[in-house]
């Protein structure tokens, strides 16, 4: 599941309104560690909306992962108590998916009014806390490519030092007739 509806989402066809069971996620966490993985990355859909998300962070630390990271739209981190529970449980790195330099661009791309404001608030609180490593993923597309310098300047000015610039993947909504011409630059 996801609480955004990104126009460029490559996983749209996999979003069916269900969440992966606790047992399945726990199995994957333990299996990964048994196979020698040292970094647990909780991703999605949107991982932070899973009811057992904090438990999965704790399990990752107990299983012996040296680093627990999440890739997220970051909206849930705008709730201070949730962010603190995650960091206290052992979350060490947060990759925020931010796709615009302002609310107009970002919210249009992710399909949720107010998403930018929530995400930036969560990012600011995570930076202020100082415990997690913070980085940003940007899916480059026609809607944001010309304003990439402004996006980078804004978040570098806030203290973010690492960015992943991602390309469109020709699947899901990014490649349907409605969105393809709006996204491919």
């Amino acid at each position: 599941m996801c609480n955004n509806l990104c126009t460029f989402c490559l996983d749209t066809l996999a979003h069916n309104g269900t969440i992966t069971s606790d047992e399945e996620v726990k199995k994957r966490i333990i299996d990964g560690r048994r196979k020698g993985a040292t970094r647990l990355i909780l991703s999605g859909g949107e991982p932070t909306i899973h009811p057992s998300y904090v438990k999965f962070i704790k399990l990752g630390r107990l299983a012996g992962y040296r680093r627990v990271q999440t890739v997220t739209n970051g909206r849930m981190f705008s709730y201070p108590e949730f962010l603190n529970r995650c960091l206290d449980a052992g979350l060490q790195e947060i990759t925020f998916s931010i796709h615009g330099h302002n609310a107009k661009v970002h919210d249009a791309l992710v399909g949720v009014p107010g998403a930018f404001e929530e995400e930036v608030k969560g990012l600011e609180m995570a930076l202020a806390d100082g415990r997690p490593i913070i980085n940003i993923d940007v899916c480059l597309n026609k809607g944001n490519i010309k304003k990439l310098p402004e996006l980078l300047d804004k978040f570098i000015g806030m203290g973010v030092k690492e960015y992943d610039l991602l390309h469109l993947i020709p699947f899901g909504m990014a490649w349907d007739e409605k969105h393809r011409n709006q996204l491919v630059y």
Side-chain angles (χ1 to χ4, degrees):
M1 288 179 47
C2 189
N3 54 352
N4 279 353
L5 188 60
C6 298
T7 58
F8 50 81
C9 182
L10 63 96
D11 291 328
T12 305
L13 301 176
H15 296 171
N16 61 7
T18 65
I19 60 171
T20 305
S21 71
D22 287 16
E23 295 74 28
E24 179 62 26
V25 176
K26 290 175 185 177
K27 179 183 177 297
R28 291 179 190 181
I29 291 171
I30 299 303
D31 286 349
R33 188 65 192 109
R34 282 188 185 137
K35 292 176 181 176
T38 59
R39 177 182 289 214
L40 173 62
I41 302 175
L42 299 169
S43 190
E46 176 50 41
T48 62
I49 62 174
H50 194 290
S52 298
Y53 178 73
V54 177
K55 291 178 185 175
F56 299 149
I57 295 169
K58 289 178 185 176
L59 177 60
R61 297 296 293 157
L62 289 171
Y65 285 92
R66 287 197 294 260
R67 177 157 319 227
V68 177
Q69 175 183 357
T70 199
V71 179
T72 177
N73 63 37
R75 293 173 52 205
M76 286 295 296
F77 292 130
S78 69
Y79 300 94
E81 62 283 347
F82 181 77
L83 174 63
N84 285 325
R85 284 190 5 246
C86 293
L87 297 176
D88 290 346
L91 183 61
Q92 299 157 298
E93 184 170 347
I94 305 172
T95 300
F96 288 85
S97 296
I98 299 182
H99 307 290
H101 69 295
N102 62 25
K104 180 180 177 183
V105 173
H106 178 85
D107 292 358
L109 288 169
V110 304
V112 177
F116 184 79
E117 184 178 316
E118 285 181 321
E119 188 160 356
V120 171
K121 180 180 176 185
L123 180 125
E124 288 173 333
M125 290 190 316
L127 284 167
D129 182 278
R131 286 183 281 176
I133 295 168
I134 303 296
N135 45 62
I136 292 177
D137 280 354
V138 182
C139 182
L140 301 175
N141 62 77
K142 190 187 286 186
N144 65 14
I145 191 73
K146 290 182 180 177
K147 295 295 184 175
L148 182 61
E150 287 91 334
L151 184 151
L152 295 173
D153 287 345
K154 175 182 183 70
F155 293 103
I156 288 170
M158 291 173 62
V160 179
K161 296 176 175 53
E162 181 183 333
Y163 297 82
D164 293 318
L165 304 178
L166 311 173
H167 295 283
L168 285 172
I169 306 296
F171 297 108
M173 282 180 42
W175 216 245
D176 69 18
E177 291 298 318
K178 178 182 177 186
H179 297 104
R180 186 184 313 182
N181 292 330
Q182 295 173 357
L183 296 170
V184 177
Y185 62 94

mmCIF file of all heavy atoms in Angstrom, residues 60-103:
data_model
loop_
_atom_site.group_PDB
_atom_site.id
_atom_site.type_symbol
_atom_site.label_atom_id
_atom_site.label_comp_id
_atom_site.label_asym_id
_atom_site.label_seq_id
_atom_site.Cartn_x
_atom_site.Cartn_y
_atom_site.Cartn_z
ATOM 1 N N GLY A 60 14.942 -5.900 13.061
ATOM 2 C CA GLY A 60 16.167 -5.758 12.280
ATOM 3 C C GLY A 60 17.381 -5.551 13.151
ATOM 4 O O GLY A 60 18.436 -6.167 12.937
ATOM 5 N N ARG A 61 17.254 -4.714 14.150
ATOM 6 C CA ARG A 61 18.376 -4.480 15.075
ATOM 7 C C ARG A 61 18.674 -5.745 15.885
ATOM 8 O O ARG A 61 19.833 -6.136 16.037
ATOM 9 C CB ARG A 61 18.068 -3.293 16.000
ATOM 10 C CG ARG A 61 17.904 -1.974 15.274
ATOM 11 C CD ARG A 61 19.143 -1.490 14.565
ATOM 12 N NE ARG A 61 20.148 -1.158 15.568
ATOM 13 C CZ ARG A 61 21.446 -1.117 15.343
ATOM 14 N NH1 ARG A 61 21.911 -1.370 14.144
ATOM 15 N NH2 ARG A 61 22.277 -0.817 16.298
ATOM 16 N N LEU A 62 17.616 -6.405 16.384
ATOM 17 C CA LEU A 62 17.811 -7.642 17.160
ATOM 18 C C LEU A 62 18.402 -8.759 16.313
ATOM 19 O O LEU A 62 19.170 -9.592 16.825
ATOM 20 C CB LEU A 62 16.483 -8.104 17.764
ATOM 21 C CG LEU A 62 15.937 -7.247 18.906
ATOM 22 C CD1 LEU A 62 14.516 -7.681 19.271
ATOM 23 C CD2 LEU A 62 16.854 -7.328 20.119
ATOM 24 N N ALA A 63 18.078 -8.776 15.028
ATOM 25 C CA ALA A 63 18.598 -9.812 14.134
ATOM 26 C C ALA A 63 20.071 -9.593 13.810
ATOM 27 O O ALA A 63 20.718 -10.485 13.260
ATOM 28 C CB ALA A 63 17.768 -9.857 12.847
ATOM 29 N N GLY A 64 20.589 -8.411 14.120
ATOM 30 C CA GLY A 64 22.004 -8.156 13.911
ATOM 31 C C GLY A 64 22.367 -7.329 12.692
ATOM 32 O O GLY A 64 23.547 -7.231 12.334
ATOM 33 N N TYR A 65 21.394 -6.717 12.061
ATOM 34 C CA TYR A 65 21.724 -5.825 10.946
ATOM 35 C C TYR A 65 22.527 -4.644 11.496
ATOM 36 O O TYR A 65 22.145 -4.052 12.506
ATOM 37 C CB TYR A 65 20.459 -5.311 10.253
ATOM 38 C CG TYR A 65 19.788 -6.341 9.379
ATOM 39 C CD1 TYR A 65 18.781 -7.164 9.874
ATOM 40 C CD2 TYR A 65 20.152 -6.477 8.046
ATOM 41 C CE1 TYR A 65 18.160 -8.096 9.065
ATOM 42 C CE2 TYR A 65 19.533 -7.410 7.224
ATOM 43 C CZ TYR A 65 18.544 -8.215 7.743
ATOM 44 O OH TYR A 65 17.935 -9.147 6.942
ATOM 45 N N ARG A 66 23.619 -4.312 10.827
ATOM 46 C CA ARG A 66 24.440 -3.181 11.278
ATOM 47 C C ARG A 66 23.761 -1.848 10.975
ATOM 48 O O ARG A 66 24.015 -0.857 11.658
ATOM 49 C CB ARG A 66 25.821 -3.227 10.607
ATOM 50 C CG ARG A 66 26.692 -4.330 11.164
ATOM 51 C CD ARG A 66 28.153 -4.128 10.834
ATOM 52 N NE ARG A 66 28.447 -4.221 9.414
ATOM 53 C CZ ARG A 66 28.953 -5.292 8.821
ATOM 54 N NH1 ARG A 66 29.224 -6.374 9.529
ATOM 55 N NH2 ARG A 66 29.198 -5.279 7.534
ATOM 56 N N ARG A 67 22.938 -1.819 9.941
ATOM 57 C CA ARG A 67 22.241 -0.588 9.593
ATOM 58 C C ARG A 67 20.802 -0.913 9.226
ATOM 59 O O ARG A 67 20.548 -1.856 8.487
ATOM 60 C CB ARG A 67 22.903 0.107 8.417
ATOM 61 C CG ARG A 67 22.128 1.349 8.007
ATOM 62 C CD ARG A 67 22.931 2.354 7.288
ATOM 63 N NE ARG A 67 24.246 2.500 7.871
ATOM 64 C CZ ARG A 67 24.812 3.645 8.150
ATOM 65 N NH1 ARG A 67 24.164 4.742 7.937
ATOM 66 N NH2 ARG A 67 26.016 3.711 8.641
ATOM 67 N N VAL A 68 19.873 -0.100 9.745
ATOM 68 C CA VAL A 68 18.459 -0.182 9.368
ATOM 69 C C VAL A 68 18.097 1.141 8.708
ATOM 70 O O VAL A 68 18.245 2.206 9.303
ATOM 71 C CB VAL A 68 17.542 -0.469 10.576
ATOM 72 C CG1 VAL A 68 16.075 -0.468 10.143
ATOM 73 C CG2 VAL A 68 17.913 -1.789 11.238
ATOM 74 N N GLN A 69 17.656 1.041 7.463
ATOM 75 C CA GLN A 69 17.337 2.195 6.626
ATOM 76 C C GLN A 69 15.897 2.063 6.142
ATOM 77 O O GLN A 69 15.366 0.959 6.053
ATOM 78 C CB GLN A 69 18.290 2.223 5.422
ATOM 79 C CG GLN A 69 18.016 3.304 4.403
ATOM 80 C CD GLN A 69 18.956 3.210 3.203
ATOM 81 O OE1 GLN A 69 19.847 2.370 3.141
ATOM 82 N NE2 GLN A 69 18.743 4.081 2.234
ATOM 83 N N THR A 70 15.302 3.188 5.804
ATOM 84 C CA THR A 70 13.994 3.154 5.171
ATOM 85 C C THR A 70 13.988 4.099 3.979
ATOM 86 O O THR A 70 14.692 5.112 3.984
ATOM 87 C CB THR A 70 12.866 3.511 6.163
ATOM 88 O OG1 THR A 70 11.621 3.058 5.650
ATOM 89 C CG2 THR A 70 12.795 4.980 6.477
ATOM 90 N N VAL A 71 13.232 3.735 2.955
ATOM 91 C CA VAL A 71 12.963 4.602 1.809
ATOM 92 C C VAL A 71 11.480 4.935 1.906
ATOM 93 O O VAL A 71 10.635 4.030 1.911
ATOM 94 C CB VAL A 71 13.308 3.901 0.472
ATOM 95 C CG1 VAL A 71 12.994 4.827 -0.700
ATOM 96 C CG2 VAL A 71 14.765 3.456 0.459
ATOM 97 N N THR A 72 11.161 6.223 1.977
ATOM 98 C CA THR A 72 9.828 6.631 2.379
ATOM 99 C C THR A 72 9.411 7.942 1.739
ATOM 100 O O THR A 72 10.267 8.751 1.363
ATOM 101 C CB THR A 72 9.783 6.787 3.919
ATOM 102 O OG1 THR A 72 8.496 7.265 4.317
ATOM 103 C CG2 THR A 72 10.840 7.735 4.433
ATOM 104 N N ASN A 73 8.107 8.163 1.659
ATOM 105 C CA ASN A 73 7.648 9.496 1.282
ATOM 106 C C ASN A 73 7.733 10.437 2.479
ATOM 107 O O ASN A 73 7.537 11.636 2.341
ATOM 108 C CB ASN A 73 6.243 9.474 0.664
ATOM 109 C CG ASN A 73 5.158 8.999 1.606
ATOM 110 O OD1 ASN A 73 5.158 9.277 2.797
ATOM 111 N ND2 ASN A 73 4.194 8.276 1.054
ATOM 112 N N GLY A 74 8.023 9.905 3.650
ATOM 113 C CA GLY A 74 8.331 10.721 4.817
ATOM 114 C C GLY A 74 7.176 11.403 5.501
ATOM 115 O O GLY A 74 7.367 12.097 6.505
ATOM 116 N N ARG A 75 5.966 11.217 5.006
ATOM 117 C CA ARG A 75 4.833 11.942 5.579
ATOM 118 C C ARG A 75 4.564 11.553 7.027
ATOM 119 O O ARG A 75 4.229 12.409 7.852
ATOM 120 C CB ARG A 75 3.590 11.732 4.712
ATOM 121 C CG ARG A 75 3.750 12.404 3.338
ATOM 122 C CD ARG A 75 2.635 12.098 2.381
ATOM 123 N NE ARG A 75 1.348 12.366 2.994
ATOM 124 C CZ ARG A 75 0.226 11.772 2.608
ATOM 125 N NH1 ARG A 75 0.222 10.895 1.624
ATOM 126 N NH2 ARG A 75 -0.900 12.061 3.210
ATOM 127 N N MET A 76 4.724 10.290 7.370
ATOM 128 C CA MET A 76 4.480 9.849 8.750
ATOM 129 C C MET A 76 5.499 10.435 9.735
ATOM 130 O O MET A 76 5.216 10.560 10.919
ATOM 131 C CB MET A 76 4.502 8.320 8.834
ATOM 132 C CG MET A 76 3.282 7.650 8.253
ATOM 133 S SD MET A 76 1.767 8.017 9.170
ATOM 134 C CE MET A 76 2.122 7.262 10.756
ATOM 135 N N PHE A 77 6.677 10.812 9.241
ATOM 136 C CA PHE A 77 7.691 11.396 10.125
ATOM 137 C C PHE A 77 7.360 12.828 10.519
ATOM 138 O O PHE A 77 8.071 13.426 11.325
ATOM 139 C CB PHE A 77 9.081 11.298 9.496
ATOM 140 C CG PHE A 77 9.569 9.887 9.390
ATOM 141 C CD1 PHE A 77 10.080 9.401 8.198
ATOM 142 C CD2 PHE A 77 9.518 9.026 10.475
ATOM 143 C CE1 PHE A 77 10.531 8.091 8.092
ATOM 144 C CE2 PHE A 77 9.959 7.717 10.377
ATOM 145 C CZ PHE A 77 10.465 7.250 9.193
ATOM 146 N N SER A 78 6.267 13.389 9.986
ATOM 147 C CA SER A 78 5.822 14.714 10.424
ATOM 148 C C SER A 78 5.135 14.643 11.785
ATOM 149 O O SER A 78 4.825 15.675 12.373
ATOM 150 C CB SER A 78 4.888 15.346 9.385
ATOM 151 O OG SER A 78 3.649 14.661 9.317
ATOM 152 N N TYR A 79 4.918 13.425 12.272
ATOM 153 C CA TYR A 79 4.365 13.221 13.616
ATOM 154 C C TYR A 79 5.531 12.938 14.550
ATOM 155 O O TYR A 79 6.145 11.868 14.475
ATOM 156 C CB TYR A 79 3.370 12.052 13.620
ATOM 157 C CG TYR A 79 2.195 12.284 12.690
ATOM 158 C CD1 TYR A 79 2.214 11.802 11.381
ATOM 159 C CD2 TYR A 79 1.081 13.004 13.123
ATOM 160 C CE1 TYR A 79 1.152 12.030 10.518
ATOM 161 C CE2 TYR A 79 0.019 13.225 12.276
ATOM 162 C CZ TYR A 79 0.054 12.750 10.974
ATOM 163 O OH TYR A 79 -0.996 12.976 10.123
ATOM 164 N N PRO A 80 5.864 13.891 15.440
ATOM 165 C CA PRO A 80 7.071 13.760 16.270
ATOM 166 C C PRO A 80 7.141 12.459 17.058
ATOM 167 O O PRO A 80 8.212 11.849 17.156
ATOM 168 C CB PRO A 80 7.001 14.962 17.210
ATOM 169 C CG PRO A 80 6.094 15.936 16.553
ATOM 170 C CD PRO A 80 5.141 15.136 15.710
ATOM 171 N N GLU A 81 6.033 12.017 17.623
ATOM 172 C CA GLU A 81 6.056 10.797 18.434
ATOM 173 C C GLU A 81 6.381 9.570 17.576
ATOM 174 O O GLU A 81 7.082 8.658 18.011
ATOM 175 C CB GLU A 81 4.749 10.603 19.213
ATOM 176 C CG GLU A 81 3.500 10.442 18.375
ATOM 177 C CD GLU A 81 2.935 11.723 17.758
ATOM 178 O OE1 GLU A 81 3.334 12.835 18.144
ATOM 179 O OE2 GLU A 81 2.097 11.601 16.853
ATOM 180 N N PHE A 82 5.895 9.548 16.350
ATOM 181 C CA PHE A 82 6.199 8.436 15.454
ATOM 182 C C PHE A 82 7.679 8.445 15.078
ATOM 183 O O PHE A 82 8.349 7.411 15.141
ATOM 184 C CB PHE A 82 5.323 8.499 14.193
ATOM 185 C CG PHE A 82 5.579 7.363 13.245
ATOM 186 C CD1 PHE A 82 5.066 6.097 13.489
ATOM 187 C CD2 PHE A 82 6.351 7.546 12.104
ATOM 188 C CE1 PHE A 82 5.308 5.030 12.625
ATOM 189 C CE2 PHE A 82 6.594 6.498 11.227
ATOM 190 C CZ PHE A 82 6.078 5.242 11.490
ATOM 191 N N LEU A 83 8.202 9.590 14.698
ATOM 192 C CA LEU A 83 9.621 9.698 14.362
ATOM 193 C C LEU A 83 10.475 9.239 15.539
ATOM 194 O O LEU A 83 11.407 8.438 15.368
ATOM 195 C CB LEU A 83 9.973 11.142 13.979
ATOM 196 C CG LEU A 83 11.461 11.412 13.751
ATOM 197 C CD1 LEU A 83 12.010 10.605 12.575
ATOM 198 C CD2 LEU A 83 11.696 12.915 13.542
ATOM 199 N N ASN A 84 10.165 9.699 16.735
ATOM 200 C CA ASN A 84 10.954 9.314 17.911
ATOM 201 C C ASN A 84 10.873 7.822 18.192
ATOM 202 O O ASN A 84 11.887 7.202 18.542
ATOM 203 C CB ASN A 84 10.525 10.126 19.141
ATOM 204 C CG ASN A 84 11.035 11.545 19.072
ATOM 205 O OD1 ASN A 84 12.123 11.815 18.568
ATOM 206 N ND2 ASN A 84 10.234 12.472 19.552
ATOM 207 N N ARG A 85 9.699 7.223 18.042
ATOM 208 C CA ARG A 85 9.576 5.773 18.247
ATOM 209 C C ARG A 85 10.450 5.008 17.264
ATOM 210 O O ARG A 85 11.097 4.024 17.616
ATOM 211 C CB ARG A 85 8.119 5.325 18.131
ATOM 212 C CG ARG A 85 7.299 5.667 19.360
ATOM 213 C CD ARG A 85 5.893 5.058 19.426
ATOM 214 N NE ARG A 85 5.516 4.135 18.395
ATOM 215 C CZ ARG A 85 4.552 4.346 17.487
ATOM 216 N NH1 ARG A 85 3.882 5.468 17.494
ATOM 217 N NH2 ARG A 85 4.250 3.422 16.604
ATOM 218 N N CYS A 86 10.484 5.470 16.018
ATOM 219 C CA CYS A 86 11.298 4.801 14.991
ATOM 220 C C CYS A 86 12.788 4.935 15.292
ATOM 221 O O CYS A 86 13.541 3.953 15.201
ATOM 222 C CB CYS A 86 10.988 5.379 13.615
ATOM 223 S SG CYS A 86 9.312 5.014 13.036
ATOM 224 N N LEU A 87 13.218 6.137 15.650
ATOM 225 C CA LEU A 87 14.632 6.351 15.947
ATOM 226 C C LEU A 87 15.050 5.614 17.215
ATOM 227 O O LEU A 87 16.127 5.005 17.262
ATOM 228 C CB LEU A 87 14.932 7.848 16.055
ATOM 229 C CG LEU A 87 14.711 8.658 14.768
ATOM 230 C CD1 LEU A 87 14.936 10.139 15.027
ATOM 231 C CD2 LEU A 87 15.576 8.152 13.633
ATOM 232 N N ASP A 88 14.198 5.625 18.219
ATOM 233 C CA ASP A 88 14.487 4.885 19.451
ATOM 234 C C ASP A 88 14.558 3.380 19.199
ATOM 235 O O ASP A 88 15.313 2.668 19.873
ATOM 236 C CB ASP A 88 13.439 5.178 20.529
ATOM 237 C CG ASP A 88 13.520 6.596 21.078
ATOM 238 O OD1 ASP A 88 14.538 7.290 20.832
ATOM 239 O OD2 ASP A 88 12.548 7.021 21.731
ATOM 240 N N ALA A 89 13.788 2.887 18.224
ATOM 241 C CA ALA A 89 13.781 1.460 17.892
ATOM 242 C C ALA A 89 15.029 1.040 17.126
ATOM 243 O O ALA A 89 15.333 -0.147 17.031
ATOM 244 C CB ALA A 89 12.529 1.107 17.081
ATOM 245 N N GLY A 90 15.753 2.024 16.552
ATOM 246 C CA GLY A 90 16.990 1.693 15.857
ATOM 247 C C GLY A 90 17.060 2.102 14.402
ATOM 248 O O GLY A 90 17.995 1.709 13.697
ATOM 249 N N LEU A 91 16.129 2.902 13.912
ATOM 250 C CA LEU A 91 16.202 3.397 12.537
ATOM 251 C C LEU A 91 17.388 4.349 12.438
ATOM 252 O O LEU A 91 17.484 5.317 13.197
ATOM 253 C CB LEU A 91 14.904 4.108 12.151
ATOM 254 C CG LEU A 91 14.821 4.618 10.711
ATOM 255 C CD1 LEU A 91 14.928 3.461 9.705
ATOM 256 C CD2 LEU A 91 13.518 5.383 10.501
ATOM 257 N N GLN A 92 18.292 4.068 11.490
ATOM 258 C CA GLN A 92 19.544 4.826 11.411
ATOM 259 C C GLN A 92 19.678 5.671 10.154
ATOM 260 O O GLN A 92 20.548 6.542 10.097
ATOM 261 C CB GLN A 92 20.722 3.860 11.468
ATOM 262 C CG GLN A 92 20.752 3.064 12.757
ATOM 263 C CD GLN A 92 21.538 1.787 12.577
ATOM 264 O OE1 GLN A 92 21.178 0.943 11.772
ATOM 265 N NE2 GLN A 92 22.610 1.654 13.332
ATOM 266 N N GLU A 93 18.882 5.386 9.136
ATOM 267 C CA GLU A 93 18.997 6.135 7.882
ATOM 268 C C GLU A 93 17.617 6.268 7.250
ATOM 269 O O GLU A 93 16.877 5.290 7.177
ATOM 270 C CB GLU A 93 19.946 5.427 6.919
ATOM 271 C CG GLU A 93 20.202 6.174 5.634
ATOM 272 C CD GLU A 93 21.328 5.568 4.805
ATOM 273 O OE1 GLU A 93 22.089 4.726 5.302
ATOM 274 O OE2 GLU A 93 21.432 5.961 3.621
ATOM 275 N N ILE A 94 17.311 7.497 6.808
ATOM 276 C CA ILE A 94 16.026 7.760 6.172
ATOM 277 C C ILE A 94 16.279 8.371 4.798
ATOM 278 O O ILE A 94 16.939 9.405 4.690
ATOM 279 C CB ILE A 94 15.154 8.725 7.013
ATOM 280 C CG1 ILE A 94 14.968 8.208 8.434
ATOM 281 C CG2 ILE A 94 13.802 8.949 6.317
ATOM 282 C CD1 ILE A 94 14.290 9.195 9.376
ATOM 283 N N THR A 95 15.748 7.716 3.780
ATOM 284 C CA THR A 95 15.783 8.245 2.431
ATOM 285 C C THR A 95 14.398 8.784 2.116
ATOM 286 O O THR A 95 13.444 8.019 1.987
ATOM 287 C CB THR A 95 16.176 7.150 1.415
ATOM 288 O OG1 THR A 95 17.479 6.656 1.750
ATOM 289 C CG2 THR A 95 16.188 7.698 -0.004
ATOM 290 N N PHE A 96 14.294 10.107 2.046
ATOM 291 C CA PHE A 96 13.042 10.774 1.740
ATOM 292 C C PHE A 96 12.893 10.877 0.226
ATOM 293 O O PHE A 96 13.825 11.294 -0.465
ATOM 294 C CB PHE A 96 13.022 12.190 2.329
ATOM 295 C CG PHE A 96 12.876 12.245 3.815
ATOM 296 C CD1 PHE A 96 13.985 12.144 4.645
ATOM 297 C CD2 PHE A 96 11.633 12.415 4.388
ATOM 298 C CE1 PHE A 96 13.856 12.214 6.025
ATOM 299 C CE2 PHE A 96 11.485 12.486 5.772
ATOM 300 C CZ PHE A 96 12.609 12.381 6.592
ATOM 301 N N SER A 97 11.729 10.518 -0.300
ATOM 302 C CA SER A 97 11.426 10.677 -1.719
ATOM 303 C C SER A 97 10.781 12.042 -1.913
ATOM 304 O O SER A 97 9.618 12.235 -1.567
ATOM 305 C CB SER A 97 10.485 9.570 -2.195
ATOM 306 O OG SER A 97 11.109 8.313 -2.082
ATOM 307 N N ILE A 98 11.562 12.978 -2.425
ATOM 308 C CA ILE A 98 11.074 14.348 -2.645
ATOM 309 C C ILE A 98 11.247 14.659 -4.119
ATOM 310 O O ILE A 98 12.335 14.516 -4.664
ATOM 311 C CB ILE A 98 11.825 15.360 -1.758
ATOM 312 C CG1 ILE A 98 11.613 15.021 -0.274
ATOM 313 C CG2 ILE A 98 11.363 16.782 -2.077
ATOM 314 C CD1 ILE A 98 12.272 15.974 0.694
ATOM 315 N N HIS A 99 10.174 15.123 -4.749
ATOM 316 C CA HIS A 99 10.190 15.228 -6.200
ATOM 317 C C HIS A 99 9.918 16.621 -6.739
ATOM 318 O O HIS A 99 9.759 16.797 -7.947
ATOM 319 C CB HIS A 99 9.201 14.214 -6.784
ATOM 320 C CG HIS A 99 9.468 12.849 -6.262
ATOM 321 N ND1 HIS A 99 10.579 12.121 -6.614
ATOM 322 C CD2 HIS A 99 8.813 12.102 -5.332
ATOM 323 C CE1 HIS A 99 10.588 10.971 -5.964
ATOM 324 N NE2 HIS A 99 9.520 10.940 -5.181
ATOM 325 N N GLY A 100 9.878 17.607 -5.861
ATOM 326 C CA GLY A 100 9.688 18.978 -6.306
ATOM 327 C C GLY A 100 10.352 19.945 -5.354
ATOM 328 O O GLY A 100 10.556 19.631 -4.181
ATOM 329 N N HIS A 101 10.668 21.114 -5.861
ATOM 330 C CA HIS A 101 11.302 22.147 -5.040
ATOM 331 C C HIS A 101 10.292 22.921 -4.204
ATOM 332 O O HIS A 101 10.662 23.662 -3.302
ATOM 333 C CB HIS A 101 12.094 23.106 -5.926
ATOM 334 C CG HIS A 101 11.236 23.964 -6.803
ATOM 335 N ND1 HIS A 101 10.442 23.448 -7.814
ATOM 336 C CD2 HIS A 101 11.025 25.315 -6.807
ATOM 337 C CE1 HIS A 101 9.792 24.437 -8.406
ATOM 338 N NE2 HIS A 101 10.124 25.577 -7.816
ATOM 339 N N ASN A 102 9.006 22.717 -4.501
ATOM 340 C CA ASN A 102 7.957 23.380 -3.731
ATOM 341 C C ASN A 102 6.714 22.490 -3.716
ATOM 342 O O ASN A 102 6.667 21.448 -4.383
ATOM 343 C CB ASN A 102 7.640 24.775 -4.292
ATOM 344 C CG ASN A 102 7.113 24.746 -5.717
ATOM 345 O OD1 ASN A 102 6.539 23.749 -6.189
ATOM 346 N ND2 ASN A 102 7.311 25.847 -6.436
ATOM 347 N N ALA A 103 5.711 22.924 -2.964
ATOM 348 C CA ALA A 103 4.495 22.124 -2.805
ATOM 349 C C ALA A 103 3.737 21.969 -4.123
ATOM 350 O O ALA A 103 3.197 20.891 -4.400
ATOM 351 C CB ALA A 103 3.585 22.763 -1.749
#
